């Protein structure tokens, strides 16, 4: 008897549509990020105009104004408070979103997570290599290799929401997933490569409030989900103490925000009705705190970080003779799409993965260009690499702003054309559907 051949392994579809519930959740996040992206851009523009106006001295005096308690290493400038303090709120939400994706979202399934994870890794590796090659002869500037590795989720999603109203939803989900994984890689880079003079005692002490925070959030998740004030009065003080101790330890304080986000439970407990009873505490916290992040924390950080005195055309010329700015522009505008698109293409050739039939490679190329918008995390890494207000830091910011603008314009050029084509296709389908329905109506009347 001949044996039947073994069943073929299931084929992986690249950027396949996620579950309906996941698509609705992602759509809600996209709408919120649009507002945050607009505020982010507005804050950056105001900072640039002020920093290059006759009143520029007042901007830098405001940014560099210090306050805080020095014995706890908390006498910081307003710019440092924005980068170390307010940005921790943004990273707290990143931690919530990462845990949500990998515990209850589509990324918990290997066949749906392997492509965006691999593409994100390619989108980090290739820009870092390009920047390093441009700066290979300068030990002083090569330490900024991680600046062009991160995608600004709020900025990129805001651009996509404006120009991509009719693009396939799978592309939108892919961009958000890519940016979330990108953030995880960026956080890891900050924690590993941009922490110095680690102080063991504060780091160990930080485990105490973090552990208590974890215990309370897990054990009383229903209580914190139904009583808004409880999180502010109980969990917030523990979070602030954890943040202060992590900051004192020498590890960048934004890492504390991620750890606190990871500590929040995603799924409801059995006492609370289980997974099917409604959103878990992580989703509730995300709903509560996202307006603070998108409306206050990130725009204020952008305001204090994006303000760089360009110095007119001579200043721009000086910036673009610095390999720091050149490396950043090449890495974000060319390296990001090359890494993301190239990795995805290789997966389709080396594995059973295939591109979803609802769109074309040109769509993936457009989204890959959009991922070259590096802003929030890139500005942070630039400051960590070269020191706040240094010449290389200023040139890095010029490079980041220039590259982000170029990436947005190039992506808009590609995606606007594709968006028009998808809109025409939808209109034609609607006309065909209406036309096909007319005979059915007449047939129904004849039958009656």
């Amino acid at each position: 008897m001949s044996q039947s051949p073994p069943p073929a392994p299931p084929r992986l579809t690249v950027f396949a549509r996620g579950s309906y519930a996941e698509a609705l959740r992602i759509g809600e996040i996209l709408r919120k990020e649009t507002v945050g992206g607009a505020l982010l851009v507005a804050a950056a523009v105001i900072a640039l105009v002020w920093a290059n106006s006759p009143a520029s001295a007042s901007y830098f005096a405001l940014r560099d104004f210090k306050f805080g308690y020095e014995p706890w290493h908390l006498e910081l400038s307003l710019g440092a408070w924005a980068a170390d303090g307010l940005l921790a709120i943004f990273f707290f939400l990143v931690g919530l979103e990462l845990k949500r994706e990998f515990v209850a979202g589509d990324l918990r399934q290997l066949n749906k997570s392997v492509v965006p994870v691999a593409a994100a890794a390619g989108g980090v590796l290739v820009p870092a290599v390009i920047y390093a090659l441009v700066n290979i002869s300068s030990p002083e500037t090569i330490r900024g290799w991680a600046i062009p590795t991160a995608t600004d989720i709020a900025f990129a999603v805001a651009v996509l929401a404006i120009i991509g109203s009719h693009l396939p939803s799978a592309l939108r989900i892919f961009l958000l997933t890519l940016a979330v994984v990108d953030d995880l890689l960026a956080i890891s880079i900050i924690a590993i490569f941009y922490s110095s003079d680690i102080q063991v005692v504060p780091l160990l002490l930080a485990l105490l409030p973090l552990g208590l925070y974890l215990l309370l959030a897990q054990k009383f998740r229903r209580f914190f989900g139904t009583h808004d004030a409880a999180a502010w009065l109980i969990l917030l003080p523990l979070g602030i103490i954890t943040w202060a101790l992590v900051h004192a330890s020498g590890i960048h304080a934004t890492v504390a925000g991620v750890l606190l986000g990871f500590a929040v439970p995603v799924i409801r407990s059995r006492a609370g009705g289980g997974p099917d009873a409604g959103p878990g505490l992580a989703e509730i916290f995300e709903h509560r705190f996202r307006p603070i992040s998108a409306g206050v924390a990130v725009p204020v950080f952008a305001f204090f970080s994006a303000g760089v005195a360009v110095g007119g055309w001579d200043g721009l010329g000086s910036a673009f003779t610095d390999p720091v700015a050149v490396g950043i522009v090449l890495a974000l505008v060319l390296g990001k799409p090359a890494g993301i698109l190239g990795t995805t293409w290789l997966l389709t050739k080396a594995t059973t993965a295939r591109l979803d039939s609802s769109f074309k490679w040109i769509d993936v190329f457009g989204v890959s260009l959009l991922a070259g918008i590096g802003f929030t995390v890139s500005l942070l890494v630039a400051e960590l690499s070269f020191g706040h207000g240094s010449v290389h830091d200023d040139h890095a910011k010029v490079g980041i702003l220039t590259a982000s603008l170029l990436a947005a314009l190039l992506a808009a050029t590609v995606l606007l054309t594709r968006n028009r084509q998808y809109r025409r296709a939808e209109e034609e389908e609607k006309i065909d559907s209406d036309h096909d329905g007319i005979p059915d109506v007449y047939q129904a009347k004849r039958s009656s």
Side-chain angles (χ1 to χ4, degrees), residues 345-354:
W345 182 82
L346 286 174
L347 279 175
T348 64
K349 297 301 179 182
T351 69
T352 59
R354 294 294 179 268

Side-chain angles (χ1 to χ4, degrees), residues 113-196:
S113 64
V114 63
V115 174
V117 169
V124 168
L125 179 61
V126 175
V129 170
I130 289 177
Y131 178 92
L133 289 174
V134 174
N135 290 269
I136 195 168
S137 61
S138 175
E140 182 181 359
T141 62
I142 200 171
R143 63 189 180 193
W145 61 270
I147 295 172
T149 59
T151 296
D152 190 286
I153 185 171
F155 201 161
V157 165
V159 173
L160 184 63
I162 293 170
I163 65 177
S165 58
H166 291 80
L167 292 174
S169 61
L171 279 178
R172 298 163 179 260
I173 293 173
F174 172 70
L175 177 63
L176 185 60
T177 304
L178 180 75
V180 167
V181 177
D182 195 297
D183 283 339
L184 175 61
L185 297 174
I187 292 162
S188 302
I189 289 171
I190 291 172
I192 296 171
F193 296 101
Y194 291 95
S195 298
S196 59

Side-chain angles (χ1 to χ4, degrees), residues 28-353:
E28 183 65 23
I29 292 176
L30 286 170
R31 285 188 289 273
K32 293 176 183 176
E33 292 290 358
T34 304
V35 178
L39 292 173
L40 170 67
V41 173
V45 170
I46 292 171
L48 277 172
V49 172
W50 191 355
N52 291 277
S53 71
S56 60
S58 61
Y59 169 82
F60 293 108
L62 178 65
R63 186 194 69 181
D64 298 332
F65 176 75
K66 288 187 175 184
F67 69 96
Y69 191 55
E70 175 55 29
W72 291 357
H73 308 283
L74 292 177
E75 187 179 8
L76 308 173
S77 66
L78 280 173
W81 273 111
D84 293 359
L86 286 178
L87 210 56
I89 301 173
F90 166 77
F91 278 97
F92 172 73
L93 286 168
V94 170
L96 290 176
E97 181 62 24
L98 281 169
K99 188 173 181 181
R100 171 68 175 78
E101 287 290 339
F102 285 101
V103 171
D106 282 345
L107 289 186
R108 73 186 187 279
Q109 304 174 37
L110 181 61
N111 65 332
K112 292 184 179 180
S113 64
V114 63
V115 174
V117 169
V124 168
L125 179 61
V126 175
V129 170
I130 289 177
Y131 178 92
L133 289 174
V134 174
N135 290 269
I136 195 168
S137 61
S138 175
E140 182 181 359
T141 62
I142 200 171
R143 63 189 180 193
W145 61 270
I147 295 172
T149 59
T151 296
D152 190 286
I153 185 171
F155 201 161
V157 165
V159 173
L160 184 63
I162 293 170
I163 65 177
S165 58
H166 291 80
L167 292 174
S169 61
L171 279 178
R172 298 163 179 260
I173 293 173
F174 172 70
L175 177 63
L176 185 60
T177 304
L178 180 75
V180 167
V181 177
D182 195 297
D183 283 339
L184 175 61
L185 297 174
I187 292 162
S188 302
I189 289 171
I190 291 172
I192 296 171
F193 296 101
Y194 291 95
S195 298
S196 59
D197 300 326
I198 303 298
Q199 302 295 317
V200 178
V201 174
L203 186 59
L204 292 176
L205 288 175
L207 297 177
L208 297 177
L210 178 61
L212 183 57
Y213 178 99
L214 172 65
L215 176 65
L216 292 174
Q218 294 287 337
K219 190 173 181 59
F220 301 103
R221 62 184 75 179
R222 185 180 182 184
F223 173 73
F224 289 116
T226 55
H227 297 78
D228 292 359
W232 296 100
L233 297 176
I234 300 173
L235 294 182
L236 180 61
L238 292 172
I240 293 174
I241 295 171
T242 303
W243 172 87
L245 289 169
V246 170
H247 181 273
S249 73
I251 295 176
H252 198 267
T254 52
V255 176
V258 180
L259 295 176
L260 292 167
F262 282 162
V264 178
V266 170
I267 300 173
R268 279 177 174 258
S269 63
R270 291 184 179 179
D276 298 328
L281 189 58
E283 194 169 344
I284 293 172
F285 277 9
E286 183 182 340
H287 181 74
R288 290 179 187 172
F289 299 124
R290 187 170 293 278
I292 300 174
S293 173
V296 179
V298 175
V300 170
F301 167 76
F303 173 78
F304 284 117
S305 292
V308 52
V310 177
W313 292 111
D314 291 338
L316 279 176
S318 175
F320 286 112
T321 57
D322 189 338
V324 170
V326 175
I328 290 171
V329 172
L330 291 176
L332 284 173
V333 177
L334 299 180
K336 269 288 183 182
I340 294 168
L341 188 64
T343 302
T344 306
W345 182 82
L346 286 174
L347 279 175
T348 64
K349 297 301 179 182
T351 69
T352 59

Side-chain angles (χ1 to χ4, degrees), residues 380-432:
L380 173 62
V381 176
E383 293 181 5
L384 296 176
S385 299
F386 303 119
H388 192 68
S390 66
V391 174
H392 287 314
D393 180 37
D394 287 346
H395 290 172
K397 290 176 179 178
V398 171
I400 292 166
L401 295 171
T402 302
S404 298
L405 180 60
L406 284 174
L409 292 175
L410 290 171
T413 302
V414 174
L415 293 177
L416 277 173
T417 302
R418 297 298 297 162
N419 191 64
R420 285 194 293 268
Q421 294 177 1
Y422 281 112
R423 182 175 58 191
R424 285 198 298 267
E426 288 180 11
E427 290 172 352
E428 290 172 0
E429 288 178 1
K430 184 178 180 181
I431 292 173
D432 292 341

